[in-house]
Amino acid sequence: MFRYAMIYGGIIGVVVIALMASTLFIFGPNEVGSSEVAGYAFMIAVLSLVFIGIKRYRDVEHGGVIKFTQGALIGIGIAAVAAIFYTLSWEGVLYATDFAFVENYGQSQIDMIKAEGLDATTEAARIAETQESMASYRDNPFFRLPITFIEIFPVGFVVALISAAILRSPKVLPARGTAKT
């Protein structure tokens, strides 16, 4: 089970971060919203590998039959490994770009606050709060790492549960001669 989680989770984590980093470069640092939408779209598409990992485990290790709990555990394992790979890869991107994303994202948030037309006191308070949050994200890995992890893991968790529910039926995409001998 661990092997499947490492293989499929590793593939998902590396592919998601590669695609998200690519969108940052394609859309540019000033189009944060566009890159977020593209990043999450890629993330959901790539997380379909959770389904494939559970199916492969079901077919190869269990002769085409798996209980929901077994499928859910392997799927959650894959999602957790993917989230860890993603988190560590994102750390690498941040350090390689000298945290440019954090600065650009923070500035885009401040620009949105200014565009709301708030009174000066409220605007100043919200800007200060945003600046404080961005500084914490940039400077404190114990703040940043859990945030990065929960960007992908909850989506993977849901995909794992749905996939396990679907694949518990051996009639769904039945195994074809892939059982271990």
Side-chain angles (χ1 to χ4, degrees):
M1 188 182 298
F2 180 74
R3 189 173 122 235
Y4 285 86
M6 292 301 293
I7 291 169
Y8 286 94
I11 291 169
I12 292 168
V14 169
V15 170
V16 166
I17 195 63
L19 291 171
M20 289 185 75
S22 297
T23 59
L24 281 174
F25 293 113
I26 291 168
F27 288 109
N30 296 326
E31 296 296 326
V32 175
S34 299
S35 63
E36 282 179 1
V37 170
Y40 276 105
F42 287 133
M43 189 184 298
I44 290 168
V46 174
L47 281 168
S48 66
L49 287 171
V50 171
F51 181 90
I52 294 168
I54 295 170
K55 182 184 180 327
R56 180 87 175 146
Y57 181 76
R58 177 193 78 174
D59 295 349
V60 173
E61 303 296 331
H62 291 277
V65 178
I66 195 168
K67 293 179 181 176
F68 172 80
T69 305
Q70 292 171 314
L73 287 174
I74 189 68
I76 292 167
I78 292 169
V81 169
I84 291 167
F85 269 74
Y86 170 77
T87 301
L88 296 177
S89 298
W90 182 245
E91 283 295 296
V93 168
L94 288 175
Y95 281 101
T97 60
D98 198 28
F99 291 83
F101 174 81
V102 178
E103 300 307 320
N104 291 323
Y105 184 79
Q107 188 58 52
S108 73
Q109 296 299 304
I110 290 169
D111 291 345
M112 287 192 312
I113 292 168
K114 289 179 178 179
E116 290 179 20
L118 303 169
D119 64 84
T121 305
T122 304
E123 181 178 290
R126 296 227 0 243
I127 289 173
E129 182 181 321
T130 299
Q131 289 171 330
E132 184 179 325
S133 293
M134 290 295 102
S136 293
Y137 185 85
R138 181 187 61 241
D139 300 336
N140 185 351
F142 295 110
F143 181 78
R144 183 177 57 251
L145 292 171
I147 289 172
T148 307
F149 184 86
I150 63 170
E151 286 176 11
I152 187 171
F153 182 73
V155 178
F157 183 84
V158 171
V159 170
L161 295 180
I162 292 169
S163 299
I166 292 169
L167 290 169
R168 70 178 182 216
S169 171
K171 295 177 184 175
V172 174
L173 301 169
R176 299 185 185 188
T178 56
K180 278 187 170 180
T181 55

